[in-house]
Amino acid sequence: MSYAALKKCFDTVKLAPALPDEESRPLADLLGPVTNLRIYPRSITAVDHSLLFMGTRRGEKYFAVVSPRPGLLDLLEEPEHQVVLEGLKVSLRMGPTTSRSAAWLRKTLPFLAAGTIGLRKSAGCGDRLGLATPGHVRAIRKTGVAPIFAQQSVRENERTGRTPQEVVDDATWGAFQEGWREGFGADADHLKTTAQVDAFAAAGYTFFTIDPGEYVDNHAEKLSSRELEQKAAELPWEELESAPSDVERRLSEKPIDLGKFRAQFTREELLRAAVKYGKAVVHTVRLYRHLLKAMNGRPFELEMSVDETESPTTLVEHVYIACELKRLGVVWVSLAPRYVGAFEKGVDYIGDLESFQRSFAQHVAVAKTYGPYKLSIHSGSDKFRIYPIASRLAGDLIHLKTAGTSYLEALRTIARCNPGLFRDILRFAIERYPMDRASYHVSAETSRIPDVANLDDRDLPRLMEDFHAREVLHVTYGSVLNHAPLRAPFFETLWQNEEDYTKLVEAHFDRHLNPFKSTAVS
């Protein structure tokens, strides 16, 4: 890079446009020797007479600032010192990527702070390791899909030992590393209590997924008429601000226009819907109203999820949920019904595609009538069979939610780069599977996983396509990451092969996002 080009960067008052690759790469080569870091070229950002950038050294990432003006960020740990770049004397200060410097970065570059997405087609890119965002960014760039880069459920945080703030910070650094400037959301997934809402709100989340699954009565469809009447009478009608007769009047007196078709529901159908989901509606309303206070005027988005329940959400049940939420003043951007078929973790959709298509078309009609709002596909990782159907029927009214599939790509990286460690992980995962599967909908059988002792190293990556191995590895992540003999070599292998992992995540998410592709962003 020439002296003139470098000086132009330092003359920048406001945020400069992102540097093209032909300029950022030579600049990264220039900054590398003076920082003793391998610089991420796309992170280099010119703003306020300074260059901000990231680099890595021996598995640790650093944030750095260089400027002709002295008195640089005192929150960076290493002392400020003078260096010479292309004959220009400048000040340099750097330090490990911390939560404090991430907070400063979000204030300085507001596009790195989580925001709302609205009704744009979107995808949640969960990251259990804090290392997958660069790969997610590379895939998202090609699609025009709005991303949620910080996404973690309470269950995942408990099993990985990460905090809501750490998840947001890791997404911030990952987006900065790849030069992403188009904004992203932060999803507090599967919230069940007000305390959980408060923790994620305090960490800067903007998207809140309420999970009232434990309040869903999965036996409602099997109740006799007398049992149904009794259960209906016991619903918390005061909190529903209604009565059984009101539900009947609102939803059964005349056919409901759902766009492409009309629906007429009987009193019994409506009572079953109310018994099945009435308490879930109450819990969602309760958390939504608490969230309004917790956010104190800050913009946010709400999703309701009943996906992790036993029986599919029918047309009448979806209508009941949407009608009641709307009547009670809830504003939501997406809803995750329990779809027909099986959405097991980390594997493709299990079920009849024609049945899914018919049912999904009905859900789309309800979402358009009572919203519009997006249909959210939970456990959406690797459901390649249904993506074209969902994309065609829902258009922009779709939110794809993924999580563990990026962890599986980390295991694929390990299988390729450290076969011995992968063998140890799989053996340990098989031991832990009976305990760890309890809170997941999975059907893998450990007896059907090939014995790694009989496999050549080059055959190990193929296990990532094996249904049973894939599910077992998917749900045992917490045990693996908390097992000391495995944790250190696990992360060391990924650090040593960072670009390999990023490319695998990118390619894997290309497969996920291509069916939803619209206009790509820069």
Side-chain angles (χ1 to χ4, degrees), residues 421-468:
L421 176 60
F422 180 81
R423 293 173 190 275
D424 292 341
I425 289 172
L426 181 56
R427 292 188 185 103
F428 182 71
I430 289 172
E431 292 177 11
R432 291 293 310 172
Y433 180 64
M435 288 73 73
D436 291 348
R437 67 175 298 181
S439 57
Y440 288 101
H441 294 284
V442 289
S443 60
E445 300 174 23
T446 56
S447 62
R448 299 180 66 176
I449 298 175
D451 186 350
V452 291
N454 298 326
L455 295 177
D456 189 85
D457 285 353
R458 62 187 175 185
D459 295 325
L460 294 180
R462 297 177 191 171
L463 287 176
M464 300 311 303
E465 313 309 324
D466 180 272
F467 178 96
H468 301 278

Side-chain angles (χ1 to χ4, degrees), residues 98-114:
T98 65
S99 186
R100 285 185 64 208
S101 51
W104 180 88
L105 197 59
R106 287 190 288 268
K107 289 181 180 179
T108 304
L109 305 175
F111 50 79
L112 292 176

Side-chain angles (χ1 to χ4, degrees), residues 57-76:
R57 179 200 305 151
R58 292 191 295 273
E60 187 166 16
K61 293 187 177 182
Y62 289 80
F63 174 49
V65 182
V66 61
S67 173
R69 299 181 175 184
L72 302 182
L73 283 178
D74 59 4
L75 58 82
L76 295 175

Side-chain angles (χ1 to χ4, degrees), residues 354-410:
E354 290 187 6
S355 297
F356 175 81
Q357 179 169 292
R358 285 193 300 270
S359 175
F360 194 80
Q362 292 181 339
H363 289 305
V364 170
V366 178
K368 290 181 177 179
T369 300
Y370 287 92
Y373 53 86
K374 292 182 284 190
L375 290 174
S376 187
I377 302 178
H378 282 222
S379 299
S381 300
D382 310 294
K383 303 301 181 289
F384 302 110
R385 297 176 68 215
I386 66 165
Y387 294 158
I389 297 172
S391 180
R392 174 172 52 83
L393 294 177
D396 284 346
L397 295 180
I398 196 77
H399 178 62
L400 177 67
K401 188 167 291 195
T402 72
T405 200
S406 296
Y407 170 78
L408 293 179
E409 291 307 298

